[in-house]
Amino acid sequence: MTVASTGKTFRTAEDIGDDDTLINVEAISSQTNAVLGLRMGTTTRAAMDRQLPAIAGHLNRLLREDLGADGDSEVRKLLREGTRLVDLTNRPTPETPTFGTYMYLRDVALLTRRLLWVYSERNGRDVP
Protein backbone atom coordinates (compact mmCIF):
# COMPACT_ATOMS: atom_id res chain seq x y z
CA MET A 1 0.00 0.00 0.00
CA THR A 2 1.36 3.44 -0.93
CA VAL A 3 0.64 6.48 1.21
CA ALA A 4 0.76 9.94 -0.31
CA SER A 5 3.07 12.40 1.35
CA THR A 6 1.69 15.73 2.51
CA GLY A 7 5.14 17.24 2.23
CA LYS A 8 5.01 18.18 5.89
CA THR A 9 7.71 17.16 8.28
CA PHE A 10 6.54 16.00 11.67
CA ARG A 11 8.76 16.86 14.60
CA THR A 12 8.75 15.71 18.17
CA ALA A 13 8.94 18.00 21.17
CA GLU A 14 12.61 17.07 21.51
CA ASP A 15 13.28 18.17 17.93
CA ILE A 16 11.54 21.48 18.51
CA GLY A 17 13.41 22.05 21.75
CA ASP A 18 16.71 21.81 19.90
CA ASP A 19 15.71 24.22 17.15
CA ASP A 20 17.51 27.52 17.68
CA THR A 21 15.03 29.32 15.43
CA LEU A 22 12.56 29.17 18.32
CA ILE A 23 14.51 31.95 20.03
CA ASN A 24 12.83 34.89 18.39
CA VAL A 25 14.66 37.83 19.92
CA GLU A 26 12.15 40.38 18.65
CA ALA A 27 9.11 38.45 19.91
CA ILE A 28 10.64 37.85 23.33
CA SER A 29 11.66 41.48 23.60
CA SER A 30 8.16 42.59 22.63
CA GLN A 31 6.56 40.21 25.14
CA THR A 32 8.77 41.39 27.99
CA ASN A 33 7.97 45.00 27.08
CA ALA A 34 4.25 44.21 27.18
CA VAL A 35 4.51 42.55 30.59
CA LEU A 36 6.65 45.31 32.04
CA GLY A 37 4.16 47.84 30.67
CA LEU A 38 1.35 46.41 32.78
CA ARG A 39 0.37 48.67 35.65
CA MET A 40 -0.91 47.19 38.89
CA GLY A 41 -3.69 49.75 39.35
CA THR A 42 -5.09 49.49 35.83
CA THR A 43 -4.45 45.86 34.78
CA THR A 44 -6.99 43.16 35.46
CA ARG A 45 -6.09 39.79 36.88
CA ALA A 46 -7.45 38.20 33.69
CA ALA A 47 -5.02 40.27 31.60
CA MET A 48 -2.16 39.13 33.82
CA ASP A 49 -3.25 35.50 33.60
CA ARG A 50 -3.25 35.75 29.78
CA GLN A 51 0.41 36.85 29.85
CA LEU A 52 1.59 33.99 32.06
CA PRO A 53 1.93 31.13 29.54
CA ALA A 54 3.77 33.16 26.91
CA ILE A 55 6.27 34.85 29.21
CA ALA A 56 6.99 31.63 31.13
CA GLY A 57 7.39 29.83 27.78
CA HIS A 58 9.96 32.36 26.60
CA LEU A 59 11.92 31.99 29.83
CA ASN A 60 11.74 28.21 29.61
CA ARG A 61 13.10 28.25 26.02
CA LEU A 62 16.01 30.46 27.06
CA LEU A 63 16.79 28.15 29.97
CA ARG A 64 17.34 25.30 27.48
CA GLU A 65 19.94 27.27 25.52
CA ASP A 66 23.69 27.07 26.03
CA LEU A 67 24.27 30.41 27.70
CA GLY A 68 27.82 29.73 28.87
CA ALA A 69 26.97 28.75 32.42
CA ASP A 70 30.01 26.46 32.63
CA GLY A 71 32.36 29.42 32.69
CA ASP A 72 30.21 32.14 34.24
CA SER A 73 28.90 32.08 37.80
CA GLU A 74 26.50 34.98 37.12
CA VAL A 75 24.86 33.05 34.29
CA ARG A 76 24.59 29.99 36.56
CA LYS A 77 22.86 32.17 39.15
CA LEU A 78 20.41 33.49 36.54
CA LEU A 79 19.67 29.96 35.33
CA ARG A 80 18.98 28.75 38.87
CA GLU A 81 16.58 31.65 39.41
CA GLY A 82 14.89 30.97 36.08
CA THR A 83 14.48 27.30 36.88
CA ARG A 84 12.89 28.23 40.19
CA LEU A 85 10.49 30.67 38.53
CA VAL A 86 9.25 28.28 35.82
CA ASP A 87 8.73 25.45 38.29
CA LEU A 88 4.99 24.85 38.30
CA THR A 89 4.89 24.89 42.10
CA ASN A 90 6.08 28.51 42.06
CA ARG A 91 3.72 29.82 39.38
CA PRO A 92 0.64 31.78 40.37
CA THR A 93 -2.61 29.87 40.82
CA PRO A 94 -6.17 31.17 40.91
CA GLU A 95 -5.73 31.52 44.67
CA THR A 96 -2.64 33.73 44.32
CA PRO A 97 -3.43 37.35 45.16
CA THR A 98 -3.37 39.69 42.16
CA PHE A 99 -0.31 41.49 43.52
CA GLY A 100 1.55 38.15 43.73
CA THR A 101 0.74 37.41 40.10
CA TYR A 102 1.83 40.92 39.11
CA MET A 103 5.17 40.52 40.89
CA TYR A 104 5.71 37.06 39.40
CA LEU A 105 5.13 38.41 35.88
CA ARG A 106 7.60 41.24 36.45
CA ASP A 107 10.21 38.89 37.90
CA VAL A 108 9.89 36.51 34.93
CA ALA A 109 9.97 39.36 32.39
CA LEU A 110 13.06 40.95 33.95
CA LEU A 111 14.92 37.65 34.16
CA THR A 112 13.88 36.76 30.61
CA ARG A 113 15.34 40.06 29.41
CA ARG A 114 18.62 39.36 31.17
CA LEU A 115 18.87 35.86 29.69
CA LEU A 116 17.89 37.19 26.27
CA TRP A 117 20.78 39.64 26.50
CA VAL A 118 23.16 36.77 27.41
CA TYR A 119 21.78 34.67 24.54
CA SER A 120 22.14 37.56 22.10
CA GLU A 121 25.71 38.29 23.18
CA ARG A 122 26.73 34.63 22.79
CA ASN A 123 25.10 34.36 19.38
CA GLY A 124 26.02 37.73 17.91
CA ARG A 125 22.42 38.94 17.79
CA ASP A 126 21.10 42.41 18.49
CA VAL A 127 18.44 42.89 21.14
CA PRO A 128 15.83 45.41 20.05
Side-chain angles (χ1 to χ4, degrees), residues 108-122:
V108 171
L110 290 169
L111 184 59
T112 299
R113 273 190 171 183
R114 291 182 75 187
L115 290 175
L116 183 62
W117 182 84
V118 171
Y119 170 84
S120 296
E121 286 291 309
R122 285 189 58 80

Side-chain angles (χ1 to χ4, degrees), residues 2-126:
T2 304
V3 178
S5 170
T6 62
K8 295 180 181 177
T9 302
F10 294 98
R11 299 179 347 168
T12 66
E14 291 80 20
D15 295 333
I16 292 170
D18 292 336
D19 187 354
D20 65 344
T21 61
L22 288 180
I23 302 298
N24 183 330
V25 174
E26 294 78 20
I28 294 172
S29 183
S30 177
Q31 181 76 40
T32 59
N33 286 340
V35 167
L36 294 171
L38 297 175
R39 298 293 167 239
M40 182 63 204
T42 58
T43 304
T44 66
R45 173 61 188 262
M48 290 180 211
D49 288 342
R50 282 191 300 272
Q51 297 288 338
L52 278 169
I55 197 71
H58 289 314
L59 176 57
N60 205 23
R61 274 188 291 287
L62 285 164
L63 290 172
R64 292 191 306 256
E65 292 296 313
D66 176 9
L67 301 176
D70 290 342
D72 190 328
S73 64
E74 278 301 308
V75 172
R76 281 194 301 276
K77 182 179 170 186
L78 294 172
L79 293 175
R80 279 192 303 273
E81 178 63 14
T83 301
R84 185 188 68 76
L85 284 171
V86 297
D87 185 325
L88 291 176
T89 61
N90 294 319
R91 290 190 192 183
T93 66
E95 292 77 34
T96 303
T98 301
F99 183 73
T101 300
Y102 178 78
M103 293 306 299
Y104 175 84
L105 280 170
R106 289 190 62 78
D107 289 347
V108 171
L110 290 169
L111 184 59
T112 299
R113 273 190 171 183
R114 291 182 75 187
L115 290 175
L116 183 62
W117 182 84
V118 171
Y119 170 84
S120 296
E121 286 291 309
R122 285 189 58 80
N123 292 286
R125 309 259 320 262
D126 291 329

